Amino acid sequence: MDREEQKNFLESIGRLDFEQARIKHVLFKSKLRALLYGADIDTEPVISTTGCSLGKWIYDVAMPRIGHLPEVRELERVHNEMHVIARRLWQLYQRGQQDQALKELSQIDDTAQRLLHLLEVIERKTVV
């Protein structure tokens, strides 16, 4: 791929895509928190890596366009890790251990920081 082709390809993913990805991540965290506080909402977007909005963005937008970047593969891995944590917290909640689930919620924040950092790195590399 020559430089012009690469530029045109990378332009297909823009700043708005990354802003939407960040918003989707915030919504995920809000839904998880709501579940752990007893809200009656759909659990699928919280426990499923492909059922959440960010997962859909990763697999429908990022992977097809820029999946060759190692940071995108790392983003996928960190995103999956977030859902492993979310599923564990949800299981704690379902077993009546709400206090423990809420106490461990900070693990999501640590992982979220890594995820947001990766989004920034990928955005700098791809948005011209």
Side-chain angles (χ1 to χ4, degrees), residues 36-58:
L36 298 180
Y37 277 101
D40 185 22
I41 60 174
D42 184 13
T43 59
E44 184 68 12
V46 175
I47 61 173
S48 169
T49 57
T50 57
C52 76
S53 297
L54 182 58
K56 290 176 184 173
W57 181 84
I58 289 170

Side-chain angles (χ1 to χ4, degrees), residues 5-23:
E5 288 173 326
Q6 186 178 17
K7 182 178 180 253
N8 290 337
F9 181 74
L10 292 177
E11 282 178 354
S12 70
I13 190 165
R15 293 201 190 285
L16 182 59
D17 287 302
F18 286 96
E19 190 58 36
Q20 288 174 346
R22 283 187 277 276
I23 290 168

Side-chain angles (χ1 to χ4, degrees), residues 9 14 18 28 30 36 40 68 76 86 103-104 114 118:
F9 181 74
F18 286 96
F28 161 81
S30 296
L36 298 180
D40 185 22
H68 62 282
E76 178 186 33
K103 182 179 175 184
E104 293 183 26
R114 292 190 346 236
L118 283 165

Side-chain angles (χ1 to χ4, degrees), residues 48-87:
S48 169
T49 57
T50 57
C52 76
S53 297
L54 182 58
K56 290 176 184 173
W57 181 84
I58 289 170
Y59 293 106
D60 295 345
V61 176
M63 285 298 200
R65 297 177 188 175
I66 55 174
H68 62 282
L69 297 173
E71 292 87 356
V72 174
R73 295 291 177 191
E74 180 66 9
L75 177 69
E76 178 186 33
R77 192 189 68 69
V78 171
H79 174 252
N80 287 335
E81 186 180 320
M82 286 195 66
H83 283 280
V84 167
I85 295 167
R87 282 191 296 274

